[in-house]
Amino acid sequence: MSPRAAAKARKNESSLAERAVRVLRSREEAEAYVASVCFKHGPPRLLGVELEWLLTRRARPPHPLDATTLADALGPHAPTSLAPDSPALPLTFGSTVTVEPGGQVELASRPYERLDNLVHEVRSDAAELHARLASHDLYPGRSAADPVLPAHRVLGTPRYTAMETAFDRLGSEGRSMMCSTAAVQPCFDLGERDDLELRWTALHALGPVLIAALANSPTLHGRRTGWKSSRMAVWLALDPPRTAPPEPGQADPVAGYARRAMDAGVICRRGPGDWVTPPGVSFADWLAGAIPVPPTTEDLDLHLSTLFPPVRPHGHVEVRYVDAQVGDEWVVPVAVLAALLAERKTTEAALLACLPVAGRWLDAARVGLADPALAKAAAEVFTLAGDALPALIGPGPVRALVSRAVLRALRGRCPGDDLADTADIPNIDSGGTP
């Protein structure tokens, strides 16, 4: 490349960087940015999944995971947050590996157009990942919350140190959320503008039903909590402006989410030292001068990554309310939601079935399908999904997994009921947060 061409390339790169990161001067400008990056419009073609696993070892008594062992097990797939010199290679079929603060391992698939391709390739990548972990005596846990050990942070990054500091001001739930919980997170396109409101509303209305039907965390930190989903109970109690669902009937999801982002507290901020922020400062406060240096779009991107509602828009949408499942049963929530979102008429029918229990998030996490209204809605929703699934995937293991989930829901049981039947953990009677 000639010096002139190199100089031109550097100028173009600098120009792109300037456009990519800019200072935000007003709440209106920041809300417009949130709308542009969180809600992208287009045909609803793609789906994906993020799978988290708590890890266990066969040693007795159980002891916390350490970063060195985990980095050795992940090898070239270890993220740089765990091993700074790692090449962080994807797995064979393109899934990337990340690590949550407590050492939970997460597999994030690439986007797919077809459910059968997603299931086949993610299963293969998951098997590859688990084989690596097993060679270091690390195995995926059966529960969505750590049933034995107290919260223990493995990653010491500035981001997670700042988050822990902020959450510690509110209580103990933050450490449990960060270090002791795991989820299945199906991901979908939001669709065109006409689709967005229906899909957004339906995914929220389905939340209590799927929490109840797929709850898988009856124990936490060595005790039975009295909740079917101790994981979801912790998340909902942690910091409601950050983790609670939106109010039912929100007229404009885009504007509502942008306002939420502005009103939520800032819990970490990039800096030369630690990333800890003053307590009680919202992003709107930062824009108004509560922090002397004005925020940039990069700061807002980081802030958006610390919002944890049950459904999070991220260009596509992440469904974050489903407990981690045992073995291949992560397929069930992915397939059920894909089937319910595949056709508008099915989505509308699922929404209608869920309306009587919309907003009952805490009841779903506490009692699951023991609640008659939640059980009725789950039976209707799973039946709709079972009827719609043949259009997406042929006969085989996926259909069989969903069929078993339908029968389990019709019996009023969730995966965590099997754990509760067999776990040798003391019972407690908890009407509050685990």
Side-chain angles (χ1 to χ4, degrees), residues 198-199 202-203 206 337 339-352 384:
L198 173 62
R199 291 165 77 87
L203 285 171
L206 283 159
L337 285 171
L340 295 175
L341 294 176
E343 297 287 344
R344 187 178 181 89
K345 64 180 182 180
T346 306
T347 309
E348 290 173 340
L351 173 57
L352 186 63
L384 283 168

Side-chain angles (χ1 to χ4, degrees), residues 139-169:
Y139 303 90
R142 294 176 56 80
S143 174
D146 194 313
V148 177
L149 295 173
H152 169 76
R153 187 153 61 91
V154 171
L155 294 186
T157 61
R159 167 191 169 100
Y160 291 133
T161 298
M163 288 175 61
E164 184 177 86
T165 300
F167 290 145
D168 280 352
R169 299 174 188 138

Side-chain angles (χ1 to χ4, degrees), residues 263-283:
D263 294 338
V266 178
I267 59 173
C268 61
R269 171 178 173 246
R270 287 184 179 87
D274 65 50
W275 291 19
V276 176
T277 57
V281 175
S282 69
F283 202 88

